[in-house]
């Protein structure tokens, strides 16, 4: 259970008044689920480097997989602010939980819905929405992370099928996945997406062990050794790097909201602790140095909430540019990791313990600040948007 009362979740600028009743109901239901399913077992899972059993089906039950995917394909047809609020509540529990929902929704269901054939949508989306099927997304390779355009994974047209070769690295949920949306080059060197299914000969998914971050999430490789992929598994609707990057726009947007949840968890815990813990005869929260930290946390959380809300409005109107999304991802992840690190100090020695969430969030956020485009890559995207000059 969380250490602080849920009523203390901050809404300093009355942002709730800008949400609909439906938004608030969705947020509350995900918050309740996180409280009952995630909180009691997350420290144990992270300490023991195990995933949460049955997580994906649970996420399916609460409608957290593909919330904005149309109802006819198993989604909930919700707006982008609902999606953001769901991500915020999930990451208040743990970044691993939000990661699972991000990958399934934005990196697997999104490309099938946007670029897939009618048959692909009907075959995969309902099962992905319910969590009966787990998806992964293969873009990053051992030699190409920030620069995915240089990828080496390729496929050849063999007449009645494609032959896929190469390897992807750092893939969330690869050891668990039933399907992988894989980005590879065709014989003309153009990037296309293929749906690779577990069981296809030559396809393996070795796990990456010994992470200090996202320990409640499985990460691994996708290895393709002469994998015969049926022709109907090619995503017909997109060619070029803009395919995978469009998926990233959706996932990065979700992360911008998600990390506010991690920051809120740390902030609320620190407020509560600083009022209860006494040193030199007074609560530590009575000292100016501690109040400065808390005041800065609340200021940064409030700014991040406002940034996300307006980005959500833009996204609902299909007006959010990739560079605007980069700015929010970069700003909000840095905000959250700073709050996780600083709030841990407010708890002194207790801050390193598993009973409190700061170390776990801070360690998780080391991945979040790197995946979906590193902190520096997003800075360069903003720099390019300002100057028109590519500094990569
Ligand atoms: P560049 O020449 O700029 O662009 C190539 C084509 O792509 C288009 N484009 C975009 N389209 C949609 N959305 C975007 N955000 C786009 N950015 C660029 C662009 O218009 C162009 O289109 P066209 O039609 O002219 O061909 O590409 P570049 O090679 O210079 O690289 C650009 C760069 C560096 C910004 C990009 O490659 C990048 O963002 N790198 C970071 C890589 C990254 O984010 N990887 C994430 C892997 S997935 C992951 O981490 C999942 S973690 C999930 C979890 O567990 O939660
Ligand atoms: P590199 O690209 O090698 O970057 C190393 C450093 O160099 C960084 O600091 C970077 O900012 C800097 N740098 C790079 N280029 C420049 C430049 N031009 N100018 C200045 N600095 C530069 N990928 C997937 O495809 N699917 C997934 O599901 C997935 N899940 C992940 C889960 C976890 C836990 C992690 C850690 C990563 C995951 N990733 C996934 C991969 C992630 O997207 C990459 O790690 C990330 O894009 C960075 O690539 P890299 O690790 O190869 O770092």
């Amino acid at each position: 259970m969380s250490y602080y009362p849920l009523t203390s979740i901050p809404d300093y600028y009355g942002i709730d008044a800008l949400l609909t009743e439906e938004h608030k109901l969705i947020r509350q239901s995900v918050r309740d689920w996180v409280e009952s399913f995630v909180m009691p077992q997350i420290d144990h899972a992270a300490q023991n480097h195990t995933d949460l059993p049955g997580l994906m089906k649970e996420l399916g039950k609460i409608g957290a997989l593909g919330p904005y995917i149309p109802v006819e394909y198993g989604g909930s047809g919700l707006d982008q602010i609902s999606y953001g609020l769901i991500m915020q509540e999930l990451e208040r529990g743990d970044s691993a939980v939000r990661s699972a929902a991000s990958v399934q929704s934005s990196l697997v269901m999104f490309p099938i819905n946007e670029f897939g054939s009618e048959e692909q949508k009907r075959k995969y989306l309902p099962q992905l929405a319910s969590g009966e099927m787990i998806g992964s997304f293969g873009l990053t390779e051992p030699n190409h992370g920030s620069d995915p355009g240089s990828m080496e994974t390729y496929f050849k047209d063999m007449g009645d099928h494609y032959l896929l070769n190469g390897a992807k690295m750092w893939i969330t949920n690869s050891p668990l996945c039933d399907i992988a949306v894989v980005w590879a080059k065709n014989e003309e060197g153009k990037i296309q997406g293929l749906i690779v299914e577990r069981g296809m000969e030559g396809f393996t998914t070795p796990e990456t062990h010994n992470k200090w971050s996202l320990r409640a999430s499985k990460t691994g490789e996708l290895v393709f050794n002469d994998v015969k992929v049926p022709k109907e598994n090619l995503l017909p609707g997109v060619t070029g790097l803009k395919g995978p990057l469009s998926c990233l726009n959706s996932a990065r947007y979700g992360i911008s909201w998600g990390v506010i949840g991690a920051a809120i968890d740390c902030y609320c815990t620190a407020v509560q602790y600083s009022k209860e813990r006494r040193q030199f005869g007074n609560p530590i929260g009575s000292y100016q140095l501690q109040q400065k930290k808390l005041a800065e946390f609340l200021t940064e959380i409030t700014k991040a909430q406002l940034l996300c809300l307006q980005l959500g409005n833009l996204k609902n109107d299909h007006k959010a540019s990739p560079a605007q999304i980069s700015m929010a991802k970069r700003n909000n992840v840095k905000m959250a990791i700073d709050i996780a690190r600083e709030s841990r100090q407010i708890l002194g020695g207790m801050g390193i313990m598993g009973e409190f969430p700061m170390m776990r969030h801070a360690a998780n956020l080391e991945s979040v600040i790197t995946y979906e485009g590193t902190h520096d890559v997003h800075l360069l995207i903003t720099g390019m948007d300002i100057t028109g000059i590519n500094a990569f």
Side-chain angles (χ1 to χ4, degrees):
M1 291 296 168
S2 53
Y3 177 73
Y4 56 86
L6 280 172
T7 45
S8 66
I9 284 183
D11 178 21
Y12 203 64
Y13 266 36
I15 292 168
D16 268 14
L18 304 173
L19 301 177
T20 64
E21 283 310 309
E22 186 183 48
H23 289 145
K24 285 184 253 185
L25 272 173
I26 290 165
R27 183 181 59 187
Q28 190 60 49
S29 69
V30 179
R31 188 173 287 172
D32 292 345
W33 174 80
V34 166
E35 202 60 22
S36 65
F37 183 82
V38 178
M39 293 307 197
Q41 54 175 336
I42 189 60
D43 180 59
H44 181 267
Q47 299 268 7
N48 290 285
H49 212 327
T50 60
D51 50 336
L52 303 178
L55 173 66
M56 215 50 112
K57 284 192 184 151
E58 283 287 327
L59 288 170
K61 274 191 219 154
I62 61 164
L65 303 177
Y68 53 78
I69 297 292
V71 175
E72 62 176 311
Y73 298 121
S76 306
L78 298 175
D79 74 345
Q80 292 292 326
I81 290 174
S82 304
Y83 176 55
L85 290 166
I86 291 170
M87 295 293 128
Q88 174 187 290
E89 294 306 315
L90 295 181
E91 197 146 0
R92 193 176 65 75
D94 195 84
S95 302
V97 179
R98 195 269 309 137
S99 242
S102 281
V103 171
Q104 187 94 339
S105 304
S106 288
L107 300 182
V108 180
M109 295 177 75
F110 174 90
I112 294 173
N113 187 54
E114 285 293 307
F115 311 127
S117 64
E118 191 57 32
E119 293 70 34
Q120 289 168 344
K121 291 184 203 183
R122 297 210 177 276
K123 180 173 177 190
Y124 299 110
L125 290 178
Q127 291 190 74
L128 290 162
S130 65
E132 285 156 66
M133 182 178 265
I134 299 179
S136 68
F137 175 88
L139 180 63
T140 307
E141 299 188 352
N143 294 327
H144 308 285
S146 298
D147 176 21
S150 302
M151 69 173 65
E152 294 163 51
T153 300
Y154 68 96
F155 64 96
K156 284 187 176 168
D157 190 338
M158 306 302 282
D160 63 341
H161 65 271
Y162 297 117
L163 202 63
L164 177 66
N165 277 287
K168 301 289 176 179
M169 192 177 178
W170 299 116
I171 307 303
T172 297
N173 272 345
S174 94
L176 304 175
C177 74
D178 301 295
I179 63 166
V181 170
V182 177
W183 300 93
K185 284 185 175 164
N186 64 21
E187 285 161 273
E188 293 166 17
K190 302 238 166 81
I191 294 170
Q192 291 191 279
L194 296 159
I195 303 170
V196 180
E197 297 186 12
R198 184 171 293 283
M200 287 180 177
E201 208 178 322
F203 173 41
T204 50
T205 59
E207 183 169 351
T208 301
H209 295 285
N210 299 331
K211 292 179 299 173
W212 281 108
S213 174
L214 285 181
R215 286 169 61 84
S217 165
K218 296 272 182 213
T219 310
E221 296 166 56
L222 301 171
V223 182
F224 315 104
N225 192 0
D226 278 341
V227 180
K228 282 185 186 174
V229 181
K231 285 207 150 169
E232 64 263 25
N233 283 27
L234 182 81
L235 292 176
V238 75
T239 300
L241 195 54
K242 63 176 178 294
L245 290 176
S246 308
C247 309
L248 297 184
N249 294 336
S250 177
R252 290 166 177 173
Y253 166 74
I255 288 173
S256 309
W257 279 93
V259 293
I260 296 174
I264 285 174
D265 197 30
C266 296
Y267 166 77
C268 291
T269 306
V271 170
Q272 176 99 355
Y273 190 90
S274 68
K275 288 186 190 168
E276 289 173 1
R277 175 71 176 169
R278 297 178 76 87
Q279 288 296 288
F280 300 97
N282 296 304
I284 57 169
S286 67
Y287 299 121
Q288 288 183 357
L289 285 174
Q290 304 309 321
Q291 289 190 6
K292 175 176 184 289
K293 287 191 175 80
L294 297 175
E296 286 175 351
F297 297 164
L298 183 57
T299 307
E300 293 308 315
I301 288 170
T302 303
K303 283 154 67 180
Q305 286 171 327
L306 289 166
L307 198 61
C308 271
L309 191 68
Q310 176 57 5
L311 189 61
N313 289 329
L314 290 171
K315 226 167 172 293
N316 277 340
D317 294 342
H318 306 285
K319 286 183 183 157
S321 72
Q324 285 171 326
I325 295 169
S326 281
M327 182 182 279
K329 193 267 183 186
R330 181 174 187 274
N331 182 78
N332 290 9
V333 178
K334 183 69 164 62
M335 172 281 295
I337 201 168
D338 287 347
I339 288 178
R341 289 167 178 162
E342 281 284 304
S343 64
R344 193 216 61 73
Q345 292 195 51
I346 293 180
L347 272 65
M350 279 297 172
I352 70 160
M353 299 302 293
E355 288 91 321
F356 298 96
M358 282 80 165
M359 284 291 283
R360 181 168 48 78
H361 282 308
N364 286 341
L365 290 163
E366 291 292 342
S367 286
V368 183
I369 205 165
T370 291
Y371 67 34
E372 299 276 4
T374 67
H375 196 60
D376 287 341
V377 159
H378 289 297
L379 182 85
L380 294 175
I381 290 171
T382 306
M384 183 163 70
D385 208 38
I386 296 168
T387 64
I389 303 165
N390 178 338
F392 289 106

